[in-house]
Amino acid sequence: MQSPARRTVVEVRVELKPGVMDAEAESVLRSLGLLGIGPVARVRTAKVFSLEFDDVEPSKAEALAREAVDRLLANPVIHKVALSRVPH
Amino acid sequence: MQSPARRTVVEVRVELKPGVMDAEAESVLRSLGLLGIGPVARVRTAKVFSLEFDDVEPSKAEALAREAVDRLLANPVIHKVALSRVPH
């Protein structure tokens, strides 16, 4: 009988660097004003990718997540990235 | 002379409910496979909106963020939402 998979979750949070135009955030800020919700001074957005691994060593999972960031999930010219392991 | 604005940041994290198709996550999972990055078992995505308030009481800021969620940022049919105040 197999034991249940040991799960590791690494969260990758991708946001735009300061100074890079965040069109979605600007749109949200304007819409909040039109709806009369506020005053809201600023809006920022971020995208989170949760990568889940089964039976992978946590250090290996983090290395794979870092590789995913470098090769797929983020553009270092415009994005700031934070990785964190999610506790269970 | 005015004192600096007291800033309150409320983060709204919007993700799809379990069972709702996450096309972006599926696309990322497939791309990771094609790139040979893995094994990754599952991918989930979320969107974060950071709402920043100047000189607004924290409880009022949270109420405004909740209103923003209800009227603009999320669809209760498909979205799960978490609000959190970001410490400074």
Side-chain angles (χ1 to χ4, degrees):
Chain A
M1 206 173 95
Q2 286 191 310
S3 58
R6 191 169 39 88
R7 189 163 67 130
T8 303
V9 181
V10 180
E11 274 200 359
V12 175
R13 181 178 167 131
V14 179
E15 53 188 273
L16 291 165
K17 286 181 175 174
V20 178
M21 170 78 178
D22 186 340
E24 186 177 13
E26 293 304 315
S27 169
V28 167
L29 187 61
R30 193 167 51 246
S31 297
L32 291 172
L34 292 170
L35 290 168
I37 302 171
V40 180
R42 286 164 298 281
V43 176
R44 299 184 62 80
T45 68
K47 186 85 199 181
V48 176
F49 301 94
S50 294
L51 307 182
E52 299 187 15
F53 302 85
D54 288 339
D55 292 321
V56 173
E57 284 297 321
S59 60
K60 169 77 170 167
E62 287 190 23
L64 288 167
R66 171 58 61 189
E67 189 180 357
V69 167
D70 292 343
R71 295 179 62 198
L72 181 68
L73 300 176
N75 174 350
V77 176
I78 58 170
H79 289 137
K80 186 173 80 171
V81 177
L83 265 79
S84 59
R85 186 124 53 82
V86 180
H88 286 287
Chain B
M1 205 172 98
Q2 287 193 309
S3 57
R6 191 170 38 90
R7 189 163 67 129
T8 304
V9 180
V10 179
E11 275 199 359
V12 175
R13 182 180 166 128
V14 180
E15 52 190 273
L16 291 165
K17 286 181 175 173
V20 178
M21 170 78 178
D22 187 340
E24 186 177 13
E26 292 305 314
S27 169
V28 167
L29 187 60
R30 194 167 53 247
S31 297
L32 290 172
L34 292 171
L35 289 168
I37 301 171
V40 180
R42 286 164 299 280
V43 176
R44 299 185 62 82
T45 68
K47 186 84 197 182
V48 176
F49 300 93
S50 294
L51 308 183
E52 299 187 14
F53 301 86
D54 289 338
D55 292 322
V56 173
E57 284 297 320
S59 60
K60 168 78 170 166
E62 287 189 24
L64 287 168
R66 171 57 61 190
E67 190 182 357
V69 167
D70 291 343
R71 297 179 61 198
L72 181 67
L73 299 177
N75 175 350
V77 176
I78 57 170
H79 289 137
K80 188 174 78 171
V81 177
L83 264 78
S84 59
R85 187 123 53 84
V86 179
H88 285 288

